[in-house]
Amino acid sequence: MKTRAITGFFFVLVMLSAVLLGEITFSIFFLVLSLLSLNEFYQLVKTEETRPVRAGGILLGLSIFVPVILHFIYGYNIHWILISVPVSVLICISELFRKEKKPFHSIAYTFFGVLMVIVPFSFYTAAAFSNGEYSFHYSLGFLLLLWASDTGAYLFGIKLGKNKLFERHSPKKTWEGFFGGMITSLAVAFILSTQFTELSSLNWAVISFLIVVGGTFGDLFESMLKRSMNVKDSGSLLPGHGGLLDRFDGLLLSAPLVYVYLYLIFSV
């Protein structure tokens, strides 16, 4: 428990520093974090018969994430993301030379890792620029709402949890925990609306709802992946916490939803 608390404290401290120190630090930090998470995914799904094209997948991740960063910080044309097309073709061609037992499984995991990890982190990063320039209000608000949801779900689940949410994939999750997470996240959303006034209290509440729902299913989705690979944790990078995917599973499905919502708000 002590190791878990120490790791959590320093990791949160580093994350908050990255968010608050400006757009370049923020973008580089989450670029590195996303690539480490992608590498963790490839380690998780690797078997004797299936080996993702790790170098190709990381290069593909860079070809997606970097153009997003350059577009929002320096105004580069977002069409640079088309570099990912020839990279994708090269990944497919490279598999012809690797002599794997299940080449299409390897290719599928390579691309799915990018879809599961790099794309959500790209959306999360892009959301910080929703109003045309970098604002830590959106990125910090997202994290606070996600953490509030996780904390509320855990506390309410421990005290009141009886009805299983998705026992097949996560036996400990309950409906009471889900609604507890919703309550705590909405409470934090109201507080955020009094401090970060670019968005109304209603908008923060909607974002909170998207994070709770998306975060819950993201957690279940990652649990399903681990169960299918017969592992308890996605990795061991964070002592006492498991891997990066264990810590950011709630972001995987909620970040794209939040970005789309923010895009619709500021484009109308």
Side-chain angles (χ1 to χ4, degrees):
M1 182 62 72
K2 182 179 180 180
T3 300
R4 180 181 176 88
I6 294 174
T7 301
F9 173 78
F10 282 105
F11 189 64
V12 169
L13 185 63
V14 171
M15 285 188 60
L16 292 179
S17 299
V19 169
L20 298 174
L21 286 176
E23 56 190 14
I24 295 178
T25 303
F26 168 76
S27 299
I28 292 176
F29 176 80
F30 279 96
L31 170 62
V32 173
L33 193 63
S34 67
L35 294 177
L36 290 174
S37 299
L38 178 62
N39 184 65
E40 183 178 275
F41 172 86
Y42 288 149
Q43 291 177 329
L44 175 64
V45 301
K46 180 182 177 181
T47 65
E48 291 183 0
E49 296 183 332
T50 303
R51 291 193 308 147
V53 188
R54 184 176 305 186
I58 291 174
L59 183 60
L60 180 58
L62 284 168
S63 70
I64 293 173
F65 207 126
V66 172
V68 171
I69 294 174
L70 294 178
H71 171 69
F72 284 107
I73 296 181
Y74 299 110
Y76 281 41
N77 196 314
I78 194 61
H79 289 158
W80 279 105
I81 204 170
L82 293 176
I83 294 174
S84 61
V85 175
V87 174
S88 299
V89 173
L90 288 174
I91 290 174
C92 294
I93 293 175
S94 70
E95 193 62 30
L96 295 171
F97 298 91
R98 294 211 308 156
K99 300 179 181 180
E100 295 296 324
K101 294 181 179 179
K102 295 184 177 180
F104 278 95
H105 287 68
S106 299
I107 292 175
Y109 275 127
T110 301
F111 286 116
F112 185 73
V114 174
L115 178 64
M116 176 182 170
V117 179
I118 299 297
V119 172
F121 272 104
S122 298
F123 275 117
Y124 170 74
T125 304
F129 299 86
S130 295
N131 204 13
E133 58 184 10
Y134 178 72
S135 173
F136 73 86
H137 291 181
Y138 307 121
S139 50
L140 178 59
F142 182 100
L143 293 176
L144 292 176
L145 292 172
L146 184 60
W147 292 338
S149 172
D150 289 343
T151 303
Y154 174 76
L155 294 177
F156 277 78
I158 289 293
K159 294 293 184 181
L160 305 174
K162 294 181 180 180
N163 300 290
K164 302 299 183 180
L165 180 63
F166 257 97
E167 188 171 10
R168 177 184 174 188
H169 299 300
S170 187
K172 294 182 180 180
K173 287 193 177 298
T174 62
W175 281 104
E176 290 82 2
F178 172 78
F179 287 113
M182 183 74 73
I183 291 171
T184 54
S185 187
L186 286 172
V188 172
F190 174 75
I191 296 173
L192 288 173
S193 70
T194 65
Q195 304 300 314
F196 301 160
T197 55
E198 303 95 323
L199 298 175
S200 67
S201 57
L202 176 61
N203 284 327
W204 278 114
V206 173
I207 291 173
S208 171
F209 175 80
L210 294 175
I211 288 175
V212 173
V213 174
T216 300
F217 279 100
D219 190 329
L220 291 167
F221 180 73
E222 197 247 358
S223 294
M224 181 174 65
L225 171 64
K226 290 189 294 185
R227 284 182 177 275
S228 67
M229 302 307 298
N230 295 313
V231 298
K232 181 178 183 295
D233 297 321
S234 64
S236 57
L237 187 62
L238 303 174
H241 287 263
L244 290 172
L245 292 176
D246 292 323
R247 294 304 91 208
F248 289 98
D249 50 12
L251 180 147
L252 301 178
L253 299 183
S254 58
L257 293 174
V258 171
Y259 175 79
V260 170
Y261 183 72
L262 289 172
Y263 177 80
L264 292 175
I265 289 175
F266 292 112
S267 64
V268 174

